[in-house]
Amino acid sequence: MNPQKRHDIFARLRAANPLPRTELTYVSVFELLVAVILSAQATDKSVNKATAELFRAANTPASILALGLTGLSKYIQSIGLYNAKAKNIIAMCRLLLERHGGEVPATREALEELPGVGRKTANVILNTAFGHATIAVDTHIFRVANRTRIAPGKTVREVEGKLMKFVPPEFRRDAHHWLILHGRYICKARRPACPVCIIADLCEYSHKTPP
């Protein structure tokens, strides 16, 4: 795919959605961090349903730590892998209090030291909470990047590297949101909605679904 096509793709995505936002519900950086940790292998809808109740009861590192593992688990048991996620969140809250005064750090290194926070989660926080031009590659973005040929790669890290290289700087900050939403609602895994796709003529996917 050539640079002009990439530019035109993101120009169209921006025109259709000038201010893209995450679909996770949160009111603080800490709430966002908890929601992103919970969203691994879970839908944003299921996470929002669980955190609506959780955050009414506890929405700071100290208050979640006070719930304890059993108390926290009760709020998130509808989410997949909730036992492991609850352990990570409790440990993460403890570390935030011990090392960062209860505040979510704004550097990749510090974020990735937190339990339950890997590169993808760190990228989401850096981008959504702190405005960094990072791109977190999840299953949707991995699929879209490869299907369209915007940034094909065999691994998540390879796709991330190519996106950071190939996405024009003016679009880089919001690229994560545009691509994840496109993958979630248009370029779906089983049957992409090519007939209604606004970038279908620019996309290089060779098996487009017919009208």
Coordinates of all heavy atoms in Angstrom, one line a residue, residues 147 203-208:
R147 N -5.7 -7.0 6.9 CA -6.7 -7.1 5.8 C -6.6 -6.0 4.8 O -6.5 -6.2 3.6 CB -8.1 -7.1 6.3 CG -8.7 -8.4 6.5 CD -10.2 -8.3 6.8 NE -10.8 -9.5 7.2 CZ -11.9 -9.6 7.9 NH1 -12.6 -8.5 8.3 NH2 -12.4 -10.8 8.2
C203 N -9.0 0.0 0.3 CA -8.6 -1.3 1.0 C -8.1 -2.3 -0.1 O -8.6 -2.4 -1.2 CB -9.8 -1.8 1.7 SG -9.6 -3.5 2.3
E204 N -7.0 -3.0 0.3 CA -6.4 -4.0 -0.6 C -6.8 -5.4 -0.3 O -6.1 -6.4 -0.7 CB -4.9 -3.8 -0.7 CG -4.5 -2.4 -1.2 CD -3.0 -2.2 -1.4 OE1 -2.3 -3.1 -1.0 OE2 -2.6 -1.1 -1.9
Y205 N -7.9 -5.6 0.5 CA -8.3 -6.9 0.9 C -8.9 -7.6 -0.4 O -9.7 -7.0 -1.1 CB -9.4 -6.8 1.9 CG -10.0 -8.1 2.4 CD1 -9.2 -9.2 2.8 CD2 -11.4 -8.3 2.5 CE1 -9.7 -10.4 3.3 CE2 -11.9 -9.5 3.0 CZ -11.1 -10.5 3.4 OH -11.6 -11.7 3.8
S206 N -8.4 -8.8 -0.7 CA -8.7 -9.5 -2.0 C -10.0 -10.3 -1.9 O -10.4 -10.8 -3.0 CB -7.6 -10.3 -2.4 OG -7.3 -11.3 -1.4
H207 N -10.6 -10.4 -0.8 CA -11.9 -11.2 -0.7 C -13.0 -10.4 -0.1 O -13.7 -10.8 0.8 CB -11.6 -12.5 0.2 CG -10.5 -13.3 -0.3 ND1 -10.6 -14.1 -1.4 CD2 -9.2 -13.5 0.2 CE1 -9.5 -14.8 -1.6 NE2 -8.6 -14.4 -0.7
K208 N -13.2 -9.2 -0.7 CA -14.3 -8.4 -0.2 C -15.7 -9.0 -0.3 O -16.0 -9.7 -1.3 CB -14.3 -7.0 -1.0 CG -13.1 -6.2 -0.7 CD -13.3 -4.8 -1.4 CE -12.1 -3.9 -1.0 NZ -10.8 -4.3 -1.6

